[in-house]
């Protein structure tokens, strides 16, 4: 049976089952018979994400072999009399269905058919990559030249376009800024189906709109990423605190060192909160022996909570003789619990890819493909102590269902032209509740319990007037989105009208209502 006939039968099946008004001839003329899939398995995959909280079926899934394939689909949606949504999907790691395309077309950017675009420039210290390329593959390509991107996410199996559409943060952000601060140039397909190159100098309004723009202004097909000389090894260290003030003061001190020339400093600064013993002995547990587990109670003297500072120093093998002294000198200035230093030394690539090992362990236990009601908040420095008292020592009640990351960032590393929003203070913290919901009969691990607890945390911040900003935000009303973007909203909505006037793109974010109703199919 010919591919054209298969496509025709598939589309007619959709018309009959969904009651859609589709111009079959228009779809056939797109010339995407090999790329456009109506297969139930493809539709099923594109209907869900890592969060596991929401499902929304697209009509079809595009596996692009070039940017031009995407241009054809977006132009068809823009010129369609009835309209349909188009959403780019990378590795499917969104939490609340942000990359879904209800009754539209999902663009599978990270498919095996993606174009081979990676080009490394040693002379100008950048790499050009396809928007659907995973960061782990970018790392592998650049390391062949002894180079690496400057800014990372903790988990490398995310697409370049996906993280740039949010911000892209990790323990290097305090120094290099988020990933959006390390992008020289982009190729973007707007909601009108225009393929444009943009940068600080060319189509700059589109460039700034797309960075942290939650996919609202265009689909990133190419990104030019800043590189640096890659380290060969990393000294990875954890130290414990029972006093929250000492913990945050040390974190803030460490991120301040990068404003001081000729000063020894760590290259990575993160941390996490320990409210029960299970977390410290199971999450990234290579530091602690299972035969001699670390006891929270043996260190605790402040409300049953411990805090772990996680730091790393990158180095070249030729400088191995000096790394011990450099680390020792830096640690002397910190106020952690004596005797609570845990250290490991590993190749730089293994350090960057550290979370993948935890993923493999969770997959082996059937604990990866479960709902993930994550909550990521930016908390201003001036209120982080109030947050500790009200949430870590209050709402959580000494129990959680996943790691809780906490680390500070410098606002001046973010710039102010992108679409990303942060608290209006020079230093703010990421607090990330990376929860996994389990159906094991334990109430505090259920999806309902954890979701309600997330709501309690946000309500606490509202009641106490802690001006948080959600990272990877999810809201359901225009008023909530206006509040989220604050003084950036007017520009954000204006850019939407300029670059996606029919509200075709990334409708799963629920920021703008499309001119068509994707949930209500029409009949001829």
């Amino acid at each position: 049976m010919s591919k054209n006939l298969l496509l025709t039968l598939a589309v007619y099946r959709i018309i009959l089952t969904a009651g859609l008004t589709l111009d079959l001839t228009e779809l056939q003329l797109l010339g995407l018979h090999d790329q456009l899939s109506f297969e139930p398995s493809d539709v099923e995959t594109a209907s869900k994400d890592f969060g596991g909280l929401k499902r929304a079926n697209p009509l079809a899934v595009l596996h692009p072999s070039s940017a031009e394939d995407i241009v054809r689909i977006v132009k068809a949606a823009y010129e369609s009399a009835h309209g349909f949504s188009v959403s780019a999907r990378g590795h499917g790691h969104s939490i609340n269905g942000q990359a879904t395309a209800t009754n539209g077309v999902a663009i599978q950017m990270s498919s095996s058919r993606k174009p081979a675009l990676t080009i490394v420039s040693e002379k100008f210290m950048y790499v050009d990559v396809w928007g659907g390329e995973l960061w782990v593959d970018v790392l592998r390509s650049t390391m062949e030249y002894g180079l690496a991107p400057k800014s990372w996410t903790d988990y490398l199996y995310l697409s370049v376009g996906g993280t740039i559409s949010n911000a892209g943060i990790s323990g290097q952000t305090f120094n290099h800024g988020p990933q959006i601060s390390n992008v020289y140039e982009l190729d973007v397909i707007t909601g009108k189906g225009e393929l444009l190159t943009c940068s600080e100098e060319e189509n700059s309004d589109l460039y700034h709109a797309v960075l942290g723009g939650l996919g609202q202004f265009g689909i990133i097909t190419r990104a030019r990423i800043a590189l640096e000389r890659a380290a060969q090894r990393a000294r990875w260290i954890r130290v414990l605190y029972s006093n929250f003030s000492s913990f945050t003061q040390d974190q803030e001190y460490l991120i301040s060192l990068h404003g001081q020339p000729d000063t020894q400093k760590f290259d990575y600064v993160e941390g996490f909160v320990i409210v029960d013993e299970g977390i410290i002995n199971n999450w990234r547990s290579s530091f602690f022996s299972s035969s001699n587990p670390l006891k929270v109670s043996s260190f605790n003297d402040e409300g049953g909570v411990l805090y772990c500072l996680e730091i790393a120093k990158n180095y070249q093998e030729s400088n191995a003789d000096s790394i011990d002294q450099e680390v020792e000198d830096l640690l002397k200035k910190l106020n952690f619990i004596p005797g609570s230093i845990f250290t490991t030394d590993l190749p730089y690539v293994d350090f960057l890819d550290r979370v993948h090992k935890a993923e493999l362990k969770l997959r082996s236990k059937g604990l990866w493909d479960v709902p993930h009601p994550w909550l990521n908040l930016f908390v201003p420095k001036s209120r982080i102590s109030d947050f500790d008292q009200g949430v870590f020592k209050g709402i959580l009640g000494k129990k959680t269902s996943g790691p809780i990351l906490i680390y500070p960032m410098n606002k001046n590393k973010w710039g102010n032209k992108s679409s990303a929003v942060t608290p209006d203070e020079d230093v703010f913290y990421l607090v990330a509740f990376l929860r996994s919901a389990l159906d094991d009969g334990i109430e505090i691990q259920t999806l309902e319990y954890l979701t309600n607890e997330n709501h309690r945390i946000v309500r606490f911040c509202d009641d106490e007037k802690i001006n948080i900003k959600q990272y990877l935000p999810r809201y359901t009303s225009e008023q909530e989105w206006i509040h989220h973007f604050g003084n950036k909203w007017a520009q954000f909505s204006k850019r939407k009208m300029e670059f996606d006037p029919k509200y075709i793109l990334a409708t799963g974010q629920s920021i703008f209502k499309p001119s068509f109703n994707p949930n209500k199919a029409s009949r001829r």
Side-chain angles (χ1 to χ4, degrees):
M1 190 178 292
S2 72
K3 290 181 179 178
N4 283 358
L5 180 56
L6 285 172
L7 176 62
T8 301
L9 291 174
V11 174
Y12 276 133
R13 185 171 69 246
I14 291 170
I15 293 173
L16 291 172
T17 58
L20 296 175
T21 302
L22 295 177
D23 187 337
L24 180 57
T25 304
E26 181 181 359
L27 284 176
Q28 290 175 322
L29 290 175
L30 293 178
L32 295 170
H33 310 308
D34 292 330
Q35 289 81 32
L36 198 59
S37 171
F38 299 92
E39 289 296 325
S41 59
D42 280 344
V43 171
E44 166 75 8
T45 297
S47 73
K48 55 189 179 180
D49 60 17
F50 177 73
L53 308 178
K54 180 180 178 181
R55 297 180 68 124
N57 283 350
L59 291 179
V61 179
L62 180 73
H63 298 273
S65 59
S66 67
E68 185 57 35
D69 291 346
I70 304 172
V71 167
R72 293 178 187 177
I73 285 290
V74 176
K75 275 188 176 180
Y78 181 66
E79 295 171 358
S80 170
H82 305 283
F84 59 88
S85 61
V86 179
S87 290
R89 185 181 189 275
H91 199 51
H93 211 76
S94 58
I95 302 301
N96 288 286
Q98 289 96 331
T100 56
T102 304
N103 288 334
V105 177
I107 312 293
Q108 186 55 61
M109 297 293 293
S110 298
S111 77
S112 59
R113 303 178 215 177
K114 67 182 184 294
L117 184 63
T118 304
I119 300 173
V120 177
S121 172
E122 292 183 271
K123 180 178 180 180
F124 296 106
M125 299 292 281
Y126 69 72
V127 58
D128 280 337
V129 296
W130 173 248
E133 198 75 29
L134 301 185
W135 283 101
V136 68
D137 294 322
V138 176
L139 176 63
R140 289 166 181 157
S141 296
T142 59
M143 285 298 291
E144 293 180 8
Y145 300 84
L147 304 174
K150 298 177 180 180
S151 190
W152 292 97
T153 55
D154 285 337
Y155 182 59
L156 301 188
Y157 289 75
L158 305 174
S159 69
V160 170
T163 64
I164 289 174
S165 294
N166 288 282
I169 57 175
S170 186
Q172 303 88 2
T173 302
F174 74 94
N175 179 29
H176 294 295
Q179 291 178 321
I180 58 174
S181 296
N182 294 273
V183 177
Y184 292 145
E185 186 177 275
L186 298 167
D187 284 348
V188 174
I189 299 169
T190 71
K192 300 175 184 178
E194 302 168 313
L195 176 57
L196 301 174
T197 297
C198 56
S199 65
E200 286 279 7
E201 294 77 30
E202 181 181 6
N203 294 314
S204 61
D205 206 36
L206 176 61
Y207 170 77
H208 293 301
V210 169
L211 296 174
L214 305 179
Q216 294 302 298
F217 310 104
I219 296 173
I220 299 168
T221 59
R222 178 184 65 90
R224 178 165 291 179
I225 308 296
L227 301 178
E228 64 179 358
R229 289 293 165 193
Q232 293 174 315
R233 300 194 65 80
R235 182 67 55 85
W236 187 10
I237 305 157
R238 287 176 175 174
V239 293
L240 298 178
Y241 295 75
S242 58
N243 182 278
F244 186 72
S245 178
S246 297
F247 170 69
T248 55
Q249 286 175 10
D250 281 357
Q251 282 192 318
E252 291 163 17
Y253 164 72
L254 290 175
I255 73 167
S256 74
L257 296 178
H258 281 264
Q260 304 175 24
D262 303 321
T263 301
Q264 288 295 335
K265 57 207 72 169
F266 286 112
D267 300 287
Y268 164 96
V269 177
E270 284 198 15
F272 54 92
V273 182
I274 305 159
V275 296
D276 65 54
E277 293 175 0
I279 293 301
I280 195 167
N281 290 303
N282 289 304
W283 175 247
R284 302 179 188 175
S285 56
S286 58
F287 279 81
F288 311 112
S289 168
S290 59
S291 62
N292 184 27
L294 188 63
K295 296 291 185 181
V296 172
S297 56
S298 66
F299 290 101
N300 171 62
D301 66 359
E302 187 181 302
V305 179
L306 282 177
Y307 311 93
C308 180
L309 172 63
E310 184 174 66
I311 44 187
K313 179 75 174 172
N314 305 331
Y315 68 97
Q316 305 295 343
E317 291 178 351
S318 58
N319 297 328
D321 293 342
S322 63
I323 188 68
D324 291 340
Q325 189 62 53
E326 291 176 12
V327 168
E328 182 180 345
D329 291 343
L330 284 166
L331 291 177
K332 284 179 181 177
K333 299 175 183 178
L334 306 181
N335 296 301
F336 52 86
I337 299 171
S340 70
I341 303 176
F342 303 88
T343 302
T344 188
D345 201 279
L346 69 172
Y348 180 61
V349 170
D350 290 353
F351 171 71
L352 292 177
D353 198 26
R354 62 198 177 279
V355 177
H356 184 51
K357 294 181 179 179
E359 174 193 351
L360 295 177
K361 290 181 182 178
L362 292 172
R363 284 189 183 278
S364 69
K365 298 176 181 179
L367 297 176
W368 184 259
D369 295 319
V370 298
H372 296 95
W374 286 10
L375 178 65
N376 295 271
L377 304 175
F378 289 152
V379 181
K381 169 188 168 182
S382 65
R383 303 301 303 277
I384 195 65
S385 180
D386 297 325
F387 191 94
D388 170 58
Q389 289 292 329
V391 178
F392 302 150
K393 297 188 179 78
I395 292 173
L396 295 184
K398 299 184 182 180
K399 290 294 180 182
T400 186
S401 182
I404 306 169
L405 304 186
I406 175 171
Y407 57 89
M409 290 172 273
N410 293 310
K411 188 178 179 71
N412 64 1
K413 298 292 185 177
W414 284 67
N416 57 13
K417 296 181 180 180
S418 77
S419 294
V421 291
T422 62
D424 192 21
E425 290 192 10
D426 291 342
V427 173
F428 59 90
Y429 281 77
L430 170 75
V431 181
F433 299 88
L434 308 183
R435 306 167 179 272
S436 298
L438 304 176
D439 186 15
D440 58 3
I442 301 175
E443 181 187 7
I444 63 172
Q445 294 184 340
T446 63
L447 177 59
E448 181 181 8
Y449 183 93
L450 295 173
T451 300
N452 289 336
E453 193 167 74
N454 285 346
H455 293 325
R456 289 179 62 198
I457 292 169
V458 173
R459 277 200 308 272
F460 167 79
C461 294
D462 290 341
D463 292 344
E464 296 298 317
K465 294 181 171 53
I466 301 175
N467 294 321
I468 59 170
K469 293 292 183 182
Q470 285 195 34
Y471 179 61
L472 312 178
R474 173 65 176 175
Y475 298 106
T476 56
S477 71
E478 183 180 64
Q479 196 58 41
E480 289 175 313
W481 282 111
I482 291 173
H483 177 73
H484 172 75
F485 283 105
N487 59 15
K488 286 192 174 185
W489 174 254
Q491 183 182 59
F492 192 87
S493 56
K494 179 183 176 182
R495 286 170 167 173
K496 183 67 171 180
M497 287 301 299
E498 180 179 356
F499 299 117
D500 183 23
K502 290 191 175 181
Y503 301 166
I504 290 166
L505 301 175
T507 56
Q509 293 280 4
S510 299
I511 302 176
F512 300 96
K513 292 183 179 180
S515 55
F516 52 92
N517 186 347
N519 296 305
K520 184 177 181 181
S522 60
R523 294 181 183 272
R524 285 190 188 275

